[in-house]
Amino acid sequence: MTAPTPAGNWPSDSWNGRTPAISSTGWSSTCPAGGVPVAAEISRALHAPLDVLVARKIGAPGRPETAVGALVDDEPAVFDRRSLDALELTADAFDSEVARERDELHRREHVYRGDRPVPDARGRAVVLVDDGLATGLTATAALRHLRRQDPGRLVLAVPVCSPHAAGELRAEADDLVCLEQPGSFRAVGEWYEDFGRLTDTEVVDTLRTFHATA
């Protein structure tokens, strides 16, 4: 598998003592596909179930890698108002892209989950995991989605994030665990030795292997 590999020595036990205690009734949920191998390691360390929550980024015109919004499930897209103002656009201008990304979101949900039911987060401790945060918009959409399910505790855990994203997301999660917040942050991929894109097959294999051995 070509999984994201953090640059430097980042042992899995780096998380020990830096996340709140997660009981056996908790579960770990991963956001974009790149978060799956990271979440699997955290789930093993915490002896918690693993599942996937698909979030899709809405990119800026001509700069698709720069997020101006994000969406989860069938909920309204979350947009960064400052980005829209800078582009002199409204959320309505992204209706066609939102529709395309929602179709892709549903496709991935079907491929990744199959017939497996969505876990019930009510009253449970949930750790949302991503491979890193630049703008933090996909994590924002995912956290708000999970918050509506009334979890007992909602934790966001990532290996690396921008200081801006960390500041924005502290208000969305009960706890934020980020191992590195480099002031020179420009992109998540710069902090990995291997940041190859995961295929659907690799994601499904990771989830299947984890469920078989958990």
Side-chain angles (χ1 to χ4, degrees):
M1 168 184 283
T2 305
T5 304
N9 182 20
W10 290 33
S12 60
D13 61 3
S14 294
W15 300 91
N16 291 350
R18 301 188 65 177
T19 56
I22 304 297
S23 70
S24 60
T25 59
W27 59 286
S28 175
S29 176
T30 176
C31 204
V36 170
V38 182
E41 293 303 317
I42 294 173
S43 292
R44 288 190 181 97
L46 298 178
H47 304 289
L50 171 69
D51 214 295
V52 62
L53 175 62
V54 181
R56 296 294 295 171
K57 175 173 60 180
I58 307 299
R63 292 180 294 164
E65 292 304 312
T66 301
V68 296
L71 67 156
V72 172
D73 200 42
D74 288 322
E75 297 170 1
V78 174
F79 284 95
D80 178 55
R81 179 55 54 188
R82 286 168 295 187
S83 296
L84 293 181
D85 290 345
L87 293 168
E88 298 183 343
L89 294 172
T90 66
D92 293 344
F94 294 87
D95 283 352
S96 60
E97 184 173 357
V98 167
R100 285 194 300 271
E101 292 298 340
R102 202 177 300 280
D103 286 344
E104 175 62 13
L105 182 152
H106 289 154
R107 184 196 70 80
R108 293 193 183 204
E109 285 181 334
H110 176 72
V111 171
Y112 297 166
R113 184 176 301 285
D115 296 328
R116 193 172 68 253
V118 177
D120 183 5
R122 183 178 299 274
R124 305 175 74 182
V126 179
V127 182
L128 179 68
V129 180
D130 199 354
D131 54 12
L133 303 172
T135 65
L137 283 170
T138 53
T140 296
L143 287 166
R144 291 179 182 177
H145 170 80
L146 290 168
R147 183 69 74 186
R148 293 185 186 98
Q149 300 179 37
D150 196 24
R153 192 166 193 79
L154 185 55
V155 180
L156 176 62
V158 294
V160 62
C161 65
S162 68
H164 168 76
E168 294 288 320
L169 288 162
R170 290 188 193 282
E172 302 286 348
D174 296 319
D175 287 283
L176 169 64
V177 180
C178 178
L179 298 186
E180 297 289 341
Q181 294 183 40
S184 58
F185 186 98
R186 290 186 298 178
V188 173
E190 292 183 351
W191 298 91
Y192 282 79
E193 293 174 351
D194 181 357
F195 201 63
R197 186 180 298 274
L198 295 179
T199 66
D200 287 346
T201 299
E202 289 172 325
V203 173
V204 171
D205 286 348
T206 299
L207 294 170
R208 183 182 295 121
T209 299
F210 182 87
H211 290 148
T213 59

